[in-house]
Every structure is written in structure tokens, then in C-alpha cells.
Amino acid sequence: MGLPLVESALQWNSGILNANRDPKNDDVEFQITRLYSRFHSLDKGENGALSREDFQRIPELAINPLGDRIINAFFPEGEDQVNFRGFMRTLAHFRPVEDNEKSKGHDASEPLNSRNNKLLFAFRLYDLDRDDKISRDELLQVLRMMVGVNISDEQLGSIADRTIQEADTNGDMSISFSEFIKVLEKVDVEQKMSIRFLH
Amino acid sequence: ANCLARYWPCYVMLTGCSVTPLLVFIIVPAILGVSFGIRRIYMKTLLKIFEWATLRMERGAKERNQQLYKPCSNGIIAKEPVSLEQEIQEPRGGGGEFDMSDILYFCRRGVESIVDDEVTKRFTAEELESWNLLTRSNYNLHHISARLTVLWGLGVLIRYGFLLPLRVTLAVTGVGLLVVLTSIVGWLPNSRMKKYLSEKVNLMCYRICVRALTAIITYHDSDNKPKNGGICVANHTSPIDVLILASDGCYSMVGQAHGGLMGFIQKTLVKACPHIWFERSEVKDRHLVAKRLSDHVADKTKLPILIFPEGTCINNTSVMMFKKGSFEIDCTIYPVAIKYDPRFGNAFWNSSKFRMVTYLLHMMSSWAVVCSVWYLPPMKREEGEDAVQFANRVKSAIARKGGLVDLLWDGGLKRSKVKEVFKEEQQKLYSKVLVSRQEDPEHS
């Protein structure tokens, strides 16, 4: 299975996950080993990278209304394959925030699982064309994905209008990232966007 | 060559001396249906060796300040059983139906399923906690010490040099005898004697085949064994399931008619015993299938039918959706749960990875196949229960008895995509939440 590869992934990822090589971070090593095993089992073509089809083979993801948007988040602009590094990088957004306490990072850069970065991940689910703005059209498309055929166009349109009206503070009829942060300021994003490993 | 010419009587005697006790200890008990208990002693010895091997690996890893890769059977992440409605209908600040934070629920669920989902892991072999000296089931190969390597090497010699040839001989004997004897019995006119002989012949040959795999089977609750006029349903892990059940009772098998060697065996078997083989074209016609099965169970002189309603092999950690076809027929269902002990070898047939022949070779070069069979009390469809509900009830009973996870997912997802209708259900659920918020903004 190539577990030595995990060792190198660990070395590389120490920077991203702010993990120090001390015994307390056996947890991190454990998690990365699990995730590598998972990556390998999803990689049916055994070419060291996942394609969109590999993700769509997961039934629970295929029936998720936003499944395609989530899959898209793993693939950088214009690319069709994601390697283990990219896979880990995207998943790192979902580490619980308290894990950062265990590993005192001395990097100046913000960890991927900060509240801000979690919100950015969610923002990008709405922002279909990656132009850092959520337009009315984009909001409508995402809403349509979530409700299917069960709500009429007019009703959906009015929902979108109302949402933009409440969020938009600078009057450009679209939602920027800072406006998005303001809308969600009371939401416990850290808890809703965290995945905990069992031991 | 000169050696061979001079000493051939010695070689013949040696072979004879070594083969005869094997025959006496294996084939005769199979014929008579008794057991010396050798296999159980073998099993206990093996377990002790495996535990020792795992301990040594752990010790070796600790010395090097590393961790062993330990598989997790219960999933690797904490998934809270919170439904869509519960999570999204928390009290929120603003009014209105839609909240931009609704997306977070779907987002997290989606990523959770990417890290660990309930379905895809059922189609690959289960990971083991202790090492059973087979390279194919070890993820900690870099932790093996010199002593363990020697042990492993010894294991390879024993398995491939002694066990495998012995088992292949037995298997060939078993199948050969089956074909020959059932043909002979098939010539007899239909009578009670023919039935009796056919049963004895089948049992004997399947028992030889069971020994060809060194299968150590424990049968529980044998008074619930399936009777004539019923259908026996069991969870499916491998083609060996048939062998395991058929060596303890007589069944009519159902399946597709193959060509070649398999087809020849099928045709021979059906002479002595009324099995149900369908042509490929007939398999699609559900009414035809149902009719033939119903006719069979209506005839109380015919043996119980053996069916695997999952329709495909699953890795024995869970039971997946039962196809409703066999539950629509009006008769008694005899559920059977089969659980393999994964410590001795992986019995699951991953048909996308290995062909049948490769799989059988793996089985015959493993240490043993250890499993438990539970015969559950018979069940009948109740008033007001439709076939799907009945199928789910039987499935739950089997899962509970065998200690397996009860899943609603279709085993067919091994090869095909999930149906769109399930996504539509999710969308409908969310729409309901939106509408209910609109109608009752204070309460949501």
C-alpha cells in the first residue's frame, strides 16, 4: 500500500496542519494514515489521483443535493485530478478548531481550519464562477440544487431577492465575502464545519 | 533418472504411506459425517500463533517509537445522528425561510461521506486487527522482525507445499465423486430410494469439499433447519456459502445456467435432484422466475430452495438490501445467518478484483475458513405487510443474529450508480423545511 508515502506526506503536511513532531501528535499521524488509506481506496484507477467519477461513486455523496459543488471544491481551477496533497488540503478545512490548541503553531499564516477559512469554503460553494461575489443568478442556481423541483421559480426568486437585500450593504446587488461573514456572524461555524476523528 | 528407475517402489510406498492416513482421517469421516476434532485443535493452535505474531509486531513498533496501523471497524469519524430538520430548525436570528447557513449542513455531511461512508467499504475485504501470517492482509509489513519473517516463510512452505496440494486433491475428488455418483443415481427411476441416495451422495461430496477448504463450521439452532416447501434465505459473502449450507442439509439451488464445466456439473446435478437453473433470457422475466419458484415450493416433496436475496457478495460486515422477489412468494421463509471469522482468512469474493479461480486458490492456500451458521426460526409474511417490509424484517433478524450492520443500501451499488430518486428525496425534505419556516416563522 505504500505506507512510507504517508511518512513523506506527514513531513510535508506538518507545515499546513501546524503539527509538531512530538508524541502528542500521534493523533495527527493517525489521522493522516487513515485519510491516506481512504484516498487509496477511492482511487479505483490506482494512479495516485482522484477524478470526479471517483467521488461520485460514493452513494451518500451522490444523493447529497450539493454533492457536485462539494466535489468541485477539491479540484483547483481547470483541473480534473486531485492528488493526496490536494485532498488533504481541502479536508484540513474541517479539522476542529480546538486541535490548534494542541499543536502550537508558530507560523504567521492563518491555519486552514480557522473560522475565516471555513467561511471561505462555504462562500465558494455559492460562488459558482469564482469571482468572489455571489450574484442573484448564482444564488438561484444553488437554491435550485437544494430544493429540486419542489418550489416554484417565482417563490425561489423572491427568496433570493430577500436574501440579497438583507445581506447586501454596499448596494451592488451581490454578496461579497465580507458581507457573507456579517450574515453568518451569529452562526457557530466552528462546530457545524468540523469533523472529529474517533480514536 | 537412474535414481527414479531404481527406487520407484520406494517412492510409491512413501506416497502411499503418506496419502493413506490422510484419506482415512479426511475422506472416511466425510462419508460417515463424523469428525475427529483435528480441525478444531488446528484452529486453536493457529490462534495462539497469530496472537504471538501480533504482539511481536507491536513490540517491534514500540521500540522504534512508531505506531502500528490499526484498522477501525466502527468508522473513523464521529457522525452525529442529527437529521436535516433537527439541525436546520435551530432558533435563528432573522425571519424568512432561507438562511445562508443552511448550506453548512449539506457541506459537512458531504465531506463526512468523503472521509468515511457506509457503503463503499462493504465491497472490499475487512481489515484485520491481528496478523494471520498472510501477506495479503498485512498493512504493517515494515514492522516485521527477522523472527517473524522466518515464521512467515515457514507458513508459506506449509500452506503452498503441503496444504494446497492436499486440498486441491480433495477438491478434485469431491467434485469428481459428486459428478459420477449423481449420474449413477440419476439413472434410477423416481422413488424414495432415489431421493434417499441422492441426499446421501450430495451430503457426502459436499463434506469432502468442505474439508478441501479446511472449513471449520459451527452450526447453531439446528432444529430450525429449513424444511420442504420453504425458501431458505441467507446473507451472501462468497460462493463457499452454498457449500457450507449444503453440507449440512439438502437444498434445491437456484441460479443461472452456465456453459462449459460449470454447465456440465449443473446438468449432472439436476438429474438426481430438482435444482432450478434459469437460462440467461429467462432471468429478466420476473413473472417466469416467480412462477417456477412458486411451483417448486407448492410441491411438498421437493427440497427447500436456497436463495441469496442480496444478489451479490458483500464483505460480511453488513447485510445489504434484500431483493423482494423471493418474499413475494407465499411460503415459509427460513432465514440463515452466516458469519465468517476474519482472523483466519478473508472469505469475501471481490469479483471485480479477482476471478473465481484466483479466489478459490486464495481460499485453498489460506489457513482455514472458520465460520458460524445460525438457523433462525421460520418467518411468514404478516397481514398488511408488503414484500419489501417483510424482506427488511427478515434482513434485520439475520443482521442481529450474525452481529452484522443492517443497511438499507442496495448491494447493486457495487457496480451501478445510485438512483436519482434518493437525491430527490433529500431535496423534498429540505423544501419541506423551507415551507414550514415560512408558515411558522416564530416557531422555527
Side-chain angles (χ1 to χ4, degrees):
Chain A
M1 193 173 84
L3 271 176
L5 219 108
V6 182
E7 319 261 339
S8 34
L10 247 178
Q11 306 280 0
W12 194 89
N13 280 299
S14 315
I16 287 190
L17 299 175
N18 281 336
N20 301 320
R21 287 297 277 155
D22 72 68
K24 275 190 238 131
N25 285 296
D26 278 343
D27 284 349
V28 177
E29 183 179 340
F30 170 82
Q31 291 168 11
I32 295 183
T33 316
R34 294 263 152 270
L35 289 175
Y36 185 76
S37 174
R38 175 66 170 170
F39 178 85
H40 189 76
S41 69
L42 288 174
D43 180 13
K44 289 285 187 277
E46 299 202 345
N47 56 352
L50 297 177
S51 65
R52 286 192 167 80
E53 286 78 42
D54 287 323
F55 284 99
Q56 277 154 0
R57 230 177 268 121
I58 304 171
E60 288 164 34
L61 187 62
I63 67 169
N64 188 316
L66 292 175
D68 287 330
R69 292 302 304 151
I70 297 170
I71 294 174
N72 218 49
F74 283 83
F75 294 86
E77 185 78 50
E79 291 192 19
D80 287 330
Q81 300 270 310
V82 54
N83 58 16
F84 183 58
R85 228 172 80 174
F87 184 69
M88 290 288 299
R89 195 162 208 287
T90 314
L91 289 179
H93 285 91
F94 288 83
R95 286 184 77 220
V97 177
E98 49 271 20
D99 278 11
N100 286 345
E101 299 302 309
K102 291 189 213 151
S103 43
K104 297 288 181 198
H106 16 253
D107 287 5
S109 66
E110 203 179 1
L112 279 171
N113 62 334
S114 68
R115 184 194 161 89
N116 224 39
N117 278 322
K118 286 184 197 282
L119 281 167
L120 189 57
F121 189 93
F123 181 80
R124 291 207 175 115
L125 286 179
Y126 284 109
D127 184 11
L128 298 168
D129 59 5
R130 300 186 197 220
D131 67 347
D132 296 328
K133 284 201 307 265
I134 305 176
S135 67
R136 182 182 187 269
D137 240 358
E138 288 172 339
L139 188 56
L140 261 179
Q141 284 189 52
V142 174
L143 275 168
R144 183 52 76 194
M145 284 182 215
M146 291 203 268
V147 305
V149 300
N150 299 294
I151 296 192
S152 68
D153 281 333
E154 302 90 52
Q155 205 177 354
L156 218 58
S158 64
I159 291 178
D161 287 328
R162 197 174 18 244
T163 312
I164 294 190
Q165 205 174 30
E166 286 174 1
D168 187 19
T169 50
N170 66 354
D172 62 352
M173 300 308 279
S174 64
I175 306 177
S176 68
F177 184 47
S178 42
E179 288 163 354
F180 184 70
I181 295 179
K182 192 97 194 356
V183 171
L184 290 174
E185 66 185 347
K186 293 210 183 73
V187 176
D188 186 1
V189 173
E190 290 89 333
Q191 193 261 325
K192 284 180 190 265
M193 294 262 289
S194 289
I195 295 178
R196 278 166 186 78
F197 276 85
L198 293 171
H199 290 239
Chain B
N2 211 14
C3 251
L4 201 64
R6 284 227 305 227
Y7 295 112
W8 68 264
C10 292
Y11 292 136
V12 169
M13 244 175 50
L14 260 174
T15 324
C17 284
S18 48
V19 167
T20 325
L22 295 173
L23 281 176
V24 166
F25 279 108
I26 299 178
I27 296 206
V28 169
I31 296 176
L32 300 173
V34 298
S35 174
F36 282 120
I38 300 177
R39 280 175 290 161
R40 291 203 185 265
I41 301 174
Y42 171 65
M43 181 174 102
K44 291 201 176 80
T45 322
L46 278 178
L47 273 177
K48 290 214 169 62
I49 299 178
F50 297 160
E51 276 168 26
W52 180 81
T54 312
L55 273 170
R56 285 216 59 96
M57 283 207 306
E58 282 173 1
R59 225 194 304 165
K62 215 185 278 186
E63 281 164 16
R64 259 170 287 172
N65 212 5
Q66 289 170 343
Q67 261 189 344
L68 273 188
Y69 176 84
K70 284 268 179 189
C72 304
S73 44
N74 290 330
I76 61 179
I77 51 179
K79 286 193 194 172
E80 273 141 70
V82 173
S83 72
L84 171 65
E85 296 94 333
Q86 283 173 294
E87 175 143 344
I88 292 190
Q89 276 177 331
E90 284 165 15
R92 298 166 301 120
E97 318 96 318
F98 174 66
D99 195 308
M100 291 201 92
S101 66
D102 287 348
I103 203 179
L104 300 182
Y105 172 80
F106 292 111
C107 181
R108 189 188 74 242
R109 286 296 232 213
V111 177
E112 274 175 357
S113 69
I114 291 177
V115 175
D116 188 18
D117 79 297
E118 281 301 319
V119 184
T120 54
K121 62 186 178 191
R122 312 290 172 191
F123 302 134
T124 51
E126 190 186 357
E127 296 178 346
L128 294 176
E129 296 218 358
S130 69
W131 187 35
N132 58 359
L133 298 180
L134 297 173
T135 21
R136 54 186 100 117
S137 52
N138 191 342
Y139 306 95
N140 290 309
L141 281 175
H142 48 292
H143 287 293
I144 302 182
S145 63
R147 222 183 287 189
L148 270 184
T149 317
V150 166
L151 188 63
W152 170 78
L154 200 62
V156 168
L157 267 173
I158 297 178
R159 282 186 295 119
Y160 285 90
F162 172 64
L163 288 177
L164 183 60
L166 171 64
R167 284 173 181 162
V168 170
T169 319
L170 279 173
V172 167
T173 315
V175 174
L177 270 178
L178 182 67
V179 167
V180 164
L181 291 176
T182 34
S183 303
I184 297 178
V185 172
W187 280 328
L188 294 174
N190 280 344
S191 62
R192 269 187 49 204
M193 183 54 132
K194 175 178 184 180
K195 259 210 181 33
Y196 176 75
L197 278 178
S198 149
E199 281 178 28
K200 288 295 167 226
V201 160
N202 273 306
L203 279 175
M204 176 183 105
C205 296
Y206 291 134
R207 283 197 196 119
I208 298 180
C209 289
V210 154
R211 279 162 169 78
L213 291 165
T214 318
I216 304 166
I217 311 169
T218 316
Y219 296 99
H220 303 264
D221 306 326
S222 291
D223 12 314
N224 289 326
K225 243 192 258 193
K227 301 189 177 51
N228 285 6
I231 297 185
C232 173
V233 302
N235 58 314
H236 202 26
T237 305
S238 109
I240 296 179
D241 294 341
V242 176
L243 216 57
I244 288 176
L245 290 178
S247 61
D248 190 47
C250 296
Y251 301 93
S252 283
M253 297 176 204
V254 179
Q256 219 179 300
H258 289 94
L261 180 63
M262 200 61 207
F264 170 68
I265 297 179
Q266 282 177 325
K267 287 200 188 74
T268 328
L269 285 178
V270 91
K271 286 189 199 140
C273 196
H275 298 297
I276 307 177
W277 307 125
F278 288 103
E279 298 300 321
R280 199 174 213 131
S281 49
E282 292 174 325
V283 170
K284 301 268 166 66
D285 185 347
R286 286 187 46 212
H287 288 293
L288 180 68
V289 170
K291 177 126 197 346
R292 275 184 76 178
L293 292 178
S294 309
D295 290 344
H296 187 107
V297 300
D299 183 350
K300 297 294 180 213
T301 62
K302 293 203 173 141
L303 298 166
I305 304 180
L306 179 58
I307 288 189
F308 297 101
E310 282 167 311
T312 188
C313 292
I314 313 290
N315 78 347
N316 208 231
T317 56
S318 67
V319 186
M320 298 188 97
M321 187 181 96
F322 274 5
K323 306 230 178 329
K324 63 181 175 164
S326 9
F327 299 91
E328 283 168 338
I329 300 172
D330 184 25
C331 65
T332 322
I333 299 277
Y334 296 90
V336 175
I338 307 176
K339 178 85 179 102
Y340 289 87
D341 189 336
R343 291 175 295 180
F344 292 90
N346 169 46
F348 166 59
W349 180 32
N350 191 343
S351 48
S352 45
K353 224 175 165 189
F354 304 113
R355 292 175 37 215
M356 170 79 100
V357 180
T358 322
Y359 168 73
L360 284 174
L361 270 173
H362 276 174
M363 282 290 100
M364 290 204 244
S365 62
S366 292
W367 292 110
V369 175
V370 179
C371 66
S372 292
V373 175
W374 286 273
Y375 292 106
L376 280 81
M379 290 173 145
K380 278 192 93 112
R381 182 141 59 113
E382 281 165 10
E383 285 287 331
E385 199 181 33
D386 71 3
V388 174
Q389 290 165 329
F390 181 38
N392 283 336
R393 191 160 61 92
V394 174
K395 173 163 65 78
S396 298
I398 292 182
R400 230 174 306 131
K401 199 68 179 195
L404 305 162
V405 175
D406 185 6
L407 293 178
L408 290 172
W409 294 96
D410 184 357
L413 290 171
K414 196 197 240 179
R415 296 199 180 84
S416 59
K417 285 206 159 138
V418 66
K419 298 203 186 97
E420 273 294 304
V421 68
F422 294 109
K423 187 194 264 199
E424 286 158 18
E425 272 174 26
Q426 293 284 304
Q427 289 167 329
K428 208 185 277 189
L429 266 173
Y430 180 62
S431 309
K432 273 209 195 112
V433 170
L434 283 190
V435 168
S436 74
R437 276 181 187 159
Q438 183 184 50
E439 287 164 0
D440 197 359
E442 290 306 306
H443 221 206
S444 61

